[in-house]
């Protein structure tokens, strides 16, 4: 190949490269660098969830109070804790709110409909603290609230899922997750009292 042919070949290759760059039918994107900095935690108050009666509730309305989130069930050995947490809520509702999320993930111990759950809670334990639609607290169908509660990238530190019914998550007045407690912990338990 002579110098003239080599020059023509070089010019043709450059022309094809330029045409490829300006082809409107092709989209090219710059690779995104992988960040080594974990994302900042988000607030618990970003969520809107449905109450047992189907009405949407913005969790932002609870800003300024400490929040205890419970995954509850009607046919569990811990079900009598409804009474404990209702008593706590009634005595402290100026500073605290208890939020109940019915869950059927553990041995199918919450099989009821929203109406049945509401009737059971009112009739047996006089529950007045906010109760919400039945959710999943683990697995692929985990609700957005429980994804937040169990994902360190969202809440800042915790990956602990509920291990059974009536596990507790405590959120402070600013929407930050501060504590996780297992099923046995009640309002009068020393570890819960120390956290408050």
């Amino acid at each position: 190949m002579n110098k003239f042919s080599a020059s023509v070949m070089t010019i043709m290759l450059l022309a094809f490269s330029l045409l490829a760059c300006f082809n409107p039918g092709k989209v090219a994107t710059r690779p995104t660098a992988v960040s080594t900095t974990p994302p900042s935690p988000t607030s618990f108050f970003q969520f809107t969830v449905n109450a047992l009666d189907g009405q949407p509730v913005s969790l932002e309305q609870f800003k300024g109070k400490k929040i205890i989130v419970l995954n509850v069930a009607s046919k569990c050995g811990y079900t009598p804790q409804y009474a404990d947490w209702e008593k706590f809520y009634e005595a402290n509702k100026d500073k605290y709110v208890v939020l109940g999320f019915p869950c059927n993930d553990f041995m199918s111990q919450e099989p009821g409909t929203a109406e049945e759950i509401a009737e059971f809670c009112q009739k047996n334990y006089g529950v007045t603290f906010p109760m919400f639609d039945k959710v999943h607290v683990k697995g692929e169908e985990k609700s957005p609230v429980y994804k937040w509660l169990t994902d360190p990238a969202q809440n800042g530190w915790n990956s602990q899922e509920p291990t059974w019914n009536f596990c507790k998550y405590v959120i402070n007045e600013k929407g930050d997750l501060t504590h996780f407690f297992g099923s046995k912990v009640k309002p009068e338990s020393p570890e819960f009292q120390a956290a408050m």
Side-chain angles (χ1 to χ4, degrees), residues 12-191:
M12 288 177 65
L13 285 172
L14 284 170
F16 281 122
S17 296
L18 286 171
L19 283 172
C21 288
F22 292 105
N23 181 352
K26 184 177 178 180
V27 177
T29 58
R30 183 176 178 175
T32 305
V34 177
S35 173
T36 55
T37 306
S40 299
T42 54
S43 172
F44 181 76
F45 300 127
Q46 70 186 300
F47 298 104
T48 297
V49 293
N50 286 337
L52 276 179
D53 64 4
Q55 293 300 308
V57 175
S58 170
L59 297 184
E60 190 168 16
Q61 72 178 279
F62 303 118
K63 189 179 280 188
K65 294 184 178 184
K66 285 191 177 176
I67 300 165
I68 298 91
V69 176
L70 312 173
N71 59 301
V72 295
S74 301
K75 298 182 182 298
C76 177
Y78 293 110
T79 299
Q81 282 194 26
Y82 267 127
D84 300 316
W85 292 103
E86 174 60 24
K87 183 178 176 183
F88 173 83
Y89 173 66
E90 282 296 327
N92 300 284
K93 61 169 65 173
D94 57 326
K95 296 179 188 173
Y96 299 90
V97 64
V98 177
L99 306 181
F101 287 86
C103 161
N104 200 36
D105 290 347
F106 301 102
M107 299 283 290
S108 300
Q109 293 182 342
E110 186 52 274
T113 63
E115 293 79 15
E116 290 167 339
I117 292 167
E119 183 180 353
F120 173 86
C121 290
Q122 182 57 47
K123 180 180 176 183
N124 294 285
Y125 298 104
V127 170
T128 61
F129 59 77
M131 292 283 293
F132 301 96
D133 269 350
K134 189 159 54 174
V135 297
H136 290 284
V137 301
K138 61 179 187 171
E140 292 181 6
E141 296 181 75
K142 189 188 297 184
S143 78
V145 167
Y146 274 85
K147 283 180 182 175
W148 185 89
L149 291 169
T150 59
D151 179 5
Q154 295 185 59
N155 65 51
W157 64 276
N158 181 62
S159 61
Q160 177 65 61
E161 289 185 333
T163 51
W164 200 253
N165 301 307
F166 285 87
C167 284
K168 295 92 190 167
Y169 294 88
V170 180
I171 293 101
N172 70 15
E173 298 86 344
K174 295 184 280 185
D176 304 320
L177 179 65
T178 60
H179 296 83
F180 168 82
F181 295 106
S183 301
K184 293 181 180 180
V185 172
K186 297 181 180 182
E188 65 272 18
S189 298
E191 56 268 52

